[in-house]
PDB file of all heavy atoms in Angstrom:
ATOM      1  N   GLY A 661      61.202  15.073 -27.190  1.00  0.00           N
ATOM      2  CA  GLY A 661      60.075  15.739 -26.549  1.00  0.00           C
ATOM      3  C   GLY A 661      58.796  14.911 -26.596  1.00  0.00           C
ATOM      4  O   GLY A 661      58.756  13.832 -27.207  1.00  0.00           O
ATOM      5  N   ILE A 662      57.787  15.435 -25.947  1.00  0.00           N
ATOM      6  CA  ILE A 662      56.500  14.730 -25.844  1.00  0.00           C
ATOM      7  C   ILE A 662      55.401  15.663 -26.330  1.00  0.00           C
ATOM      8  O   ILE A 662      55.309  16.804 -25.887  1.00  0.00           O
ATOM      9  CB  ILE A 662      56.208  14.307 -24.391  1.00  0.00           C
ATOM     10  CG1 ILE A 662      57.378  13.501 -23.813  1.00  0.00           C
ATOM     11  CG2 ILE A 662      54.911  13.513 -24.296  1.00  0.00           C
ATOM     12  CD1 ILE A 662      57.263  13.258 -22.324  1.00  0.00           C
ATOM     13  N   PRO A 663      54.528  15.220 -27.231  1.00  0.00           N
ATOM     14  CA  PRO A 663      53.415  16.065 -27.671  1.00  0.00           C
ATOM     15  C   PRO A 663      52.486  16.403 -26.496  1.00  0.00           C
ATOM     16  O   PRO A 663      52.327  15.615 -25.561  1.00  0.00           O
ATOM     17  CB  PRO A 663      52.692  15.190 -28.702  1.00  0.00           C
ATOM     18  CG  PRO A 663      53.707  14.191 -29.138  1.00  0.00           C
ATOM     19  CD  PRO A 663      54.579  13.940 -27.946  1.00  0.00           C
ATOM     20  N   LYS A 664      51.861  17.567 -26.548  1.00  0.00           N
ATOM     21  CA  LYS A 664      50.990  18.016 -25.468  1.00  0.00           C
ATOM     22  C   LYS A 664      49.841  17.032 -25.213  1.00  0.00           C
ATOM     23  O   LYS A 664      49.471  16.771 -24.070  1.00  0.00           O
ATOM     24  CB  LYS A 664      50.417  19.400 -25.798  1.00  0.00           C
ATOM     25  CG  LYS A 664      51.463  20.509 -25.867  1.00  0.00           C
ATOM     26  CD  LYS A 664      52.079  20.776 -24.505  1.00  0.00           C
ATOM     27  CE  LYS A 664      53.052  21.952 -24.582  1.00  0.00           C
ATOM     28  NZ  LYS A 664      53.709  22.199 -23.278  1.00  0.00           N
ATOM     29  N   GLU A 665      49.304  16.474 -26.305  1.00  0.00           N
ATOM     30  CA  GLU A 665      48.170  15.573 -26.153  1.00  0.00           C
ATOM     31  C   GLU A 665      48.552  14.235 -25.536  1.00  0.00           C
ATOM     32  O   GLU A 665      47.679  13.451 -25.143  1.00  0.00           O
ATOM     33  CB  GLU A 665      47.475  15.344 -27.501  1.00  0.00           C
ATOM     34  CG  GLU A 665      48.342  14.687 -28.549  1.00  0.00           C
ATOM     35  CD  GLU A 665      49.145  15.688 -29.365  1.00  0.00           C
ATOM     36  OE1 GLU A 665      49.205  16.877 -28.962  1.00  0.00           O
ATOM     37  OE2 GLU A 665      49.700  15.279 -30.405  1.00  0.00           O
ATOM     38  N   GLU A 666      49.864  13.956 -25.459  1.00  0.00           N
ATOM     39  CA  GLU A 666      50.319  12.679 -24.901  1.00  0.00           C
ATOM     40  C   GLU A 666      50.688  12.777 -23.421  1.00  0.00           C
ATOM     41  O   GLU A 666      50.916  11.764 -22.775  1.00  0.00           O
ATOM     42  CB  GLU A 666      51.539  12.169 -25.690  1.00  0.00           C
ATOM     43  CG  GLU A 666      51.346  12.078 -27.188  1.00  0.00           C
ATOM     44  CD  GLU A 666      50.451  10.929 -27.584  1.00  0.00           C
ATOM     45  OE1 GLU A 666      50.229  10.031 -26.753  1.00  0.00           O
ATOM     46  OE2 GLU A 666      49.965  10.924 -28.723  1.00  0.00           O
ATOM     47  N   LEU A 667      50.768  14.016 -22.886  1.00  0.00           N
ATOM     48  CA  LEU A 667      51.280  14.199 -21.524  1.00  0.00           C
ATOM     49  C   LEU A 667      50.442  13.484 -20.469  1.00  0.00           C
ATOM     50  O   LEU A 667      50.974  12.984 -19.479  1.00  0.00           O
ATOM     51  CB  LEU A 667      51.350  15.697 -21.190  1.00  0.00           C
ATOM     52  CG  LEU A 667      52.399  16.496 -21.964  1.00  0.00           C
ATOM     53  CD1 LEU A 667      52.328  17.977 -21.580  1.00  0.00           C
ATOM     54  CD2 LEU A 667      53.804  15.965 -21.700  1.00  0.00           C
ATOM     55  N   SER A 668      49.129  13.433 -20.665  1.00  0.00           N
ATOM     56  CA  SER A 668      48.250  12.798 -19.673  1.00  0.00           C
ATOM     57  C   SER A 668      48.251  11.283 -19.766  1.00  0.00           C
ATOM     58  O   SER A 668      47.646  10.621 -18.921  1.00  0.00           O
ATOM     59  CB  SER A 668      46.814  13.326 -19.844  1.00  0.00           C
ATOM     60  OG  SER A 668      46.327  12.998 -21.131  1.00  0.00           O
ATOM     61  N   LYS A 669      48.925  10.721 -20.786  1.00  0.00           N
ATOM     62  CA  LYS A 669      48.871   9.275 -21.003  1.00  0.00           C
ATOM     63  C   LYS A 669      50.189   8.563 -20.707  1.00  0.00           C
ATOM     64  O   LYS A 669      50.203   7.348 -20.562  1.00  0.00           O
ATOM     65  CB  LYS A 669      48.470   8.975 -22.455  1.00  0.00           C
ATOM     66  CG  LYS A 669      47.183   9.627 -22.894  1.00  0.00           C
ATOM     67  CD  LYS A 669      46.923   9.376 -24.379  1.00  0.00           C
ATOM     68  CE  LYS A 669      45.679  10.103 -24.872  1.00  0.00           C
ATOM     69  NZ  LYS A 669      45.456   9.891 -26.326  1.00  0.00           N
ATOM     70  N   ILE A 670      51.287   9.311 -20.645  1.00  0.00           N
ATOM     71  CA  ILE A 670      52.591   8.651 -20.604  1.00  0.00           C
ATOM     72  C   ILE A 670      52.868   7.945 -19.282  1.00  0.00           C
ATOM     73  O   ILE A 670      53.794   7.133 -19.191  1.00  0.00           O
ATOM     74  CB  ILE A 670      53.731   9.659 -20.896  1.00  0.00           C
ATOM     75  CG1 ILE A 670      53.719  10.773 -19.843  1.00  0.00           C
ATOM     76  CG2 ILE A 670      53.599  10.226 -22.301  1.00  0.00           C
ATOM     77  CD1 ILE A 670      54.879  11.733 -20.005  1.00  0.00           C
ATOM     78  N   THR A 671      52.089   8.239 -18.233  1.00  0.00           N
ATOM     79  CA  THR A 671      52.299   7.544 -16.958  1.00  0.00           C
ATOM     80  C   THR A 671      51.515   6.240 -16.875  1.00  0.00           C
ATOM     81  O   THR A 671      51.596   5.540 -15.860  1.00  0.00           O
ATOM     82  CB  THR A 671      51.892   8.452 -15.783  1.00  0.00           C
ATOM     83  OG1 THR A 671      50.541   8.858 -15.955  1.00  0.00           O
ATOM     84  CG2 THR A 671      52.781   9.683 -15.712  1.00  0.00           C
ATOM     85  N   LYS A 672      50.757   5.904 -17.926  1.00  0.00           N
ATOM     86  CA  LYS A 672      50.022   4.643 -17.939  1.00  0.00           C
ATOM     87  C   LYS A 672      50.950   3.512 -18.364  1.00  0.00           C
ATOM     88  O   LYS A 672      51.840   3.699 -19.196  1.00  0.00           O
ATOM     89  CB  LYS A 672      48.835   4.722 -18.901  1.00  0.00           C
ATOM     90  CG  LYS A 672      47.777   5.720 -18.468  1.00  0.00           C
ATOM     91  CD  LYS A 672      46.615   5.737 -19.435  1.00  0.00           C
ATOM     92  CE  LYS A 672      45.549   6.740 -18.996  1.00  0.00           C
ATOM     93  NZ  LYS A 672      44.409   6.775 -19.941  1.00  0.00           N
ATOM     94  N   ALA A 673      50.702   2.346 -17.784  1.00  0.00           N
ATOM     95  CA  ALA A 673      51.549   1.190 -18.090  1.00  0.00           C
ATOM     96  C   ALA A 673      51.460   0.831 -19.570  1.00  0.00           C
ATOM     97  O   ALA A 673      50.376   0.849 -20.161  1.00  0.00           O
ATOM     98  CB  ALA A 673      51.140  -0.001 -17.231  1.00  0.00           C
ATOM     99  N   PHE A 674      52.622   0.529 -20.190  1.00  0.00           N
ATOM    100  CA  PHE A 674      52.772   0.081 -21.573  1.00  0.00           C
ATOM    101  C   PHE A 674      52.522   1.196 -22.598  1.00  0.00           C
ATOM    102  O   PHE A 674      52.524   0.922 -23.784  1.00  0.00           O
ATOM    103  CB  PHE A 674      51.837  -1.098 -21.893  1.00  0.00           C
ATOM    104  CG  PHE A 674      52.161  -2.332 -21.117  1.00  0.00           C
ATOM    105  CD1 PHE A 674      51.306  -2.786 -20.139  1.00  0.00           C
ATOM    106  CD2 PHE A 674      53.331  -3.027 -21.351  1.00  0.00           C
ATOM    107  CE1 PHE A 674      51.598  -3.915 -19.416  1.00  0.00           C
ATOM    108  CE2 PHE A 674      53.626  -4.165 -20.632  1.00  0.00           C
ATOM    109  CZ  PHE A 674      52.768  -4.614 -19.666  1.00  0.00           C
ATOM    110  N   TYR A 675      52.301   2.426 -22.106  1.00  0.00           N
ATOM    111  CA  TYR A 675      52.088   3.499 -23.083  1.00  0.00           C
ATOM    112  C   TYR A 675      53.450   4.056 -23.492  1.00  0.00           C
ATOM    113  O   TYR A 675      54.278   4.425 -22.647  1.00  0.00           O
ATOM    114  CB  TYR A 675      51.223   4.608 -22.513  1.00  0.00           C
ATOM    115  CG  TYR A 675      50.839   5.623 -23.576  1.00  0.00           C
ATOM    116  CD1 TYR A 675      49.753   5.396 -24.404  1.00  0.00           C
ATOM    117  CD2 TYR A 675      51.598   6.773 -23.749  1.00  0.00           C
ATOM    118  CE1 TYR A 675      49.410   6.302 -25.391  1.00  0.00           C
ATOM    119  CE2 TYR A 675      51.259   7.689 -24.734  1.00  0.00           C
ATOM    120  CZ  TYR A 675      50.172   7.450 -25.558  1.00  0.00           C
ATOM    121  OH  TYR A 675      49.850   8.345 -26.537  1.00  0.00           O
ATOM    122  N   MET A 676      53.689   4.137 -24.789  1.00  0.00           N
ATOM    123  CA  MET A 676      54.945   4.658 -25.316  1.00  0.00           C
ATOM    124  C   MET A 676      54.629   5.661 -26.425  1.00  0.00           C
ATOM    125  O   MET A 676      53.821   5.382 -27.310  1.00  0.00           O
ATOM    126  CB  MET A 676      55.820   3.530 -25.871  1.00  0.00           C
ATOM    127  CG  MET A 676      56.324   2.569 -24.793  1.00  0.00           C
ATOM    128  SD  MET A 676      57.231   1.190 -25.477  1.00  0.00           S
ATOM    129  CE  MET A 676      55.908   0.186 -26.100  1.00  0.00           C
ATOM    130  N   VAL A 677      55.279   6.836 -26.345  1.00  0.00           N
ATOM    131  CA  VAL A 677      55.059   7.855 -27.369  1.00  0.00           C
ATOM    132  C   VAL A 677      55.593   7.388 -28.709  1.00  0.00           C
ATOM    133  O   VAL A 677      54.930   7.459 -29.737  1.00  0.00           O
ATOM    134  CB  VAL A 677      55.714   9.189 -26.949  1.00  0.00           C
ATOM    135  CG1 VAL A 677      55.520  10.237 -28.041  1.00  0.00           C
ATOM    136  CG2 VAL A 677      55.139   9.677 -25.624  1.00  0.00           C
ATOM    137  N   ASP A 678      56.823   6.876 -28.711  1.00  0.00           N
ATOM    138  CA  ASP A 678      57.440   6.359 -29.938  1.00  0.00           C
ATOM    139  C   ASP A 678      57.744   4.893 -29.699  1.00  0.00           C
ATOM    140  O   ASP A 678      58.771   4.544 -29.111  1.00  0.00           O
ATOM    141  CB  ASP A 678      58.714   7.148 -30.255  1.00  0.00           C
ATOM    142  CG  ASP A 678      59.283   6.788 -31.626  1.00  0.00           C
ATOM    143  OD1 ASP A 678      58.883   5.745 -32.170  1.00  0.00           O
ATOM    144  OD2 ASP A 678      60.130   7.546 -32.134  1.00  0.00           O
ATOM    145  N   LYS A 679      56.851   4.016 -30.112  1.00  0.00           N
ATOM    146  CA  LYS A 679      56.985   2.594 -29.807  1.00  0.00           C
ATOM    147  C   LYS A 679      58.210   1.979 -30.453  1.00  0.00           C
ATOM    148  O   LYS A 679      58.908   1.173 -29.836  1.00  0.00           O
ATOM    149  CB  LYS A 679      55.719   1.848 -30.241  1.00  0.00           C
ATOM    150  CG  LYS A 679      54.457   2.310 -29.515  1.00  0.00           C
ATOM    151  CD  LYS A 679      53.266   1.502 -29.900  1.00  0.00           C
ATOM    152  CE  LYS A 679      52.001   2.007 -29.226  1.00  0.00           C
ATOM    153  NZ  LYS A 679      52.047   1.875 -27.791  1.00  0.00           N
ATOM    154  N   SER A 680      58.466   2.313 -31.696  1.00  0.00           N
ATOM    155  CA  SER A 680      59.610   1.705 -32.387  1.00  0.00           C
ATOM    156  C   SER A 680      60.917   2.108 -31.733  1.00  0.00           C
ATOM    157  O   SER A 680      61.826   1.293 -31.560  1.00  0.00           O
ATOM    158  CB  SER A 680      59.606   2.115 -33.865  1.00  0.00           C
ATOM    159  OG  SER A 680      59.706   3.533 -33.977  1.00  0.00           O
ATOM    160  N   ARG A 681      61.022   3.377 -31.329  1.00  0.00           N
ATOM    161  CA  ARG A 681      62.240   3.857 -30.684  1.00  0.00           C
ATOM    162  C   ARG A 681      62.410   3.201 -29.314  1.00  0.00           C
ATOM    163  O   ARG A 681      63.507   2.808 -28.924  1.00  0.00           O
ATOM    164  CB  ARG A 681      62.174   5.385 -30.541  1.00  0.00           C
ATOM    165  CG  ARG A 681      63.451   6.009 -29.959  1.00  0.00           C
ATOM    166  CD  ARG A 681      63.243   7.501 -29.771  1.00  0.00           C
ATOM    167  NE  ARG A 681      64.467   8.124 -29.317  1.00  0.00           N
ATOM    168  CZ  ARG A 681      65.369   8.669 -30.126  1.00  0.00           C
ATOM    169  NH1 ARG A 681      65.179   8.622 -31.448  1.00  0.00           N
ATOM    170  NH2 ARG A 681      66.459   9.237 -29.642  1.00  0.00           N
ATOM    171  N   SER A 682      61.309   3.067 -28.570  1.00  0.00           N
ATOM    172  CA  SER A 682      61.384   2.473 -27.229  1.00  0.00           C
ATOM    173  C   SER A 682      61.755   1.005 -27.311  1.00  0.00           C
ATOM    174  O   SER A 682      62.574   0.507 -26.526  1.00  0.00           O
ATOM    175  CB  SER A 682      60.055   2.638 -26.505  1.00  0.00           C
ATOM    176  OG  SER A 682      59.755   4.003 -26.334  1.00  0.00           O
ATOM    177  N   ARG A 683      61.171   0.285 -28.264  1.00  0.00           N
ATOM    178  CA  ARG A 683      61.458  -1.146 -28.366  1.00  0.00           C
ATOM    179  C   ARG A 683      62.895  -1.375 -28.801  1.00  0.00           C
ATOM    180  O   ARG A 683      63.542  -2.343 -28.406  1.00  0.00           O
ATOM    181  CB  ARG A 683      60.496  -1.801 -29.357  1.00  0.00           C
ATOM    182  CG  ARG A 683      59.069  -1.924 -28.834  1.00  0.00           C
ATOM    183  CD  ARG A 683      58.282  -2.922 -29.636  1.00  0.00           C
ATOM    184  NE  ARG A 683      56.903  -2.992 -29.162  1.00  0.00           N
ATOM    185  CZ  ARG A 683      55.901  -2.360 -29.712  1.00  0.00           C
ATOM    186  NH1 ARG A 683      56.113  -1.591 -30.771  1.00  0.00           N
ATOM    187  NH2 ARG A 683      54.671  -2.471 -29.228  1.00  0.00           N
ATOM    188  N   SER A 684      63.401  -0.502 -29.623  1.00  0.00           N
ATOM    189  CA  SER A 684      64.787  -0.675 -30.082  1.00  0.00           C
ATOM    190  C   SER A 684      65.774  -0.522 -28.938  1.00  0.00           C
ATOM    191  O   SER A 684      66.905  -0.974 -29.023  1.00  0.00           O
ATOM    192  CB  SER A 684      65.106   0.345 -31.185  1.00  0.00           C
ATOM    193  OG  SER A 684      65.084   1.663 -30.653  1.00  0.00           O
ATOM    194  N   ARG A 685      65.309   0.104 -27.825  1.00  0.00           N
ATOM    195  CA  ARG A 685      66.190   0.297 -26.665  1.00  0.00           C
ATOM    196  C   ARG A 685      65.653  -0.456 -25.455  1.00  0.00           C
ATOM    197  O   ARG A 685      65.825  -0.043 -24.314  1.00  0.00           O
ATOM    198  CB  ARG A 685      66.318   1.789 -26.346  1.00  0.00           C
ATOM    199  CG  ARG A 685      66.883   2.573 -27.527  1.00  0.00           C
ATOM    200  CD  ARG A 685      67.227   3.966 -27.139  1.00  0.00           C
ATOM    201  NE  ARG A 685      67.769   4.709 -28.291  1.00  0.00           N
ATOM    202  CZ  ARG A 685      68.289   5.924 -28.226  1.00  0.00           C
ATOM    203  NH1 ARG A 685      68.351   6.529 -27.071  1.00  0.00           N
ATOM    204  NH2 ARG A 685      68.744   6.532 -29.290  1.00  0.00           N
ATOM    205  N   ASN A 686      64.968  -1.559 -25.725  1.00  0.00           N
ATOM    206  CA  ASN A 686      64.412  -2.432 -24.674  1.00  0.00           C
ATOM    207  C   ASN A 686      63.391  -1.714 -23.791  1.00  0.00           C
ATOM    208  O   ASN A 686      63.239  -2.019 -22.605  1.00  0.00           O
ATOM    209  CB  ASN A 686      65.524  -3.022 -23.794  1.00  0.00           C
ATOM    210  CG  ASN A 686      66.341  -4.041 -24.550  1.00  0.00           C
ATOM    211  OD1 ASN A 686      65.864  -4.657 -25.489  1.00  0.00           O
ATOM    212  ND2 ASN A 686      67.605  -4.190 -24.150  1.00  0.00           N
ATOM    213  N   GLY A 687      62.686  -0.756 -24.339  1.00  0.00           N
ATOM    214  CA  GLY A 687      61.645  -0.062 -23.577  1.00  0.00           C
ATOM    215  C   GLY A 687      60.339  -0.837 -23.597  1.00  0.00           C
ATOM    216  O   GLY A 687      60.044  -1.520 -24.569  1.00  0.00           O
TER     217      GLY A 687
END
Side-chain angles (χ1 to χ4, degrees):
I662 306 170
K664 295 293 184 182
E665 62 272 12
E666 307 287 344
L667 292 178
S668 61
K669 305 175 184 178
I670 60 175
T671 56
K672 295 181 180 180
F674 295 111
Y675 188 84
M676 293 175 283
V677 178
D678 188 344
K679 298 184 183 296
S680 60
R681 184 184 184 93
S682 298
R683 288 197 182 98
S684 66
R685 301 190 180 187
N686 290 334

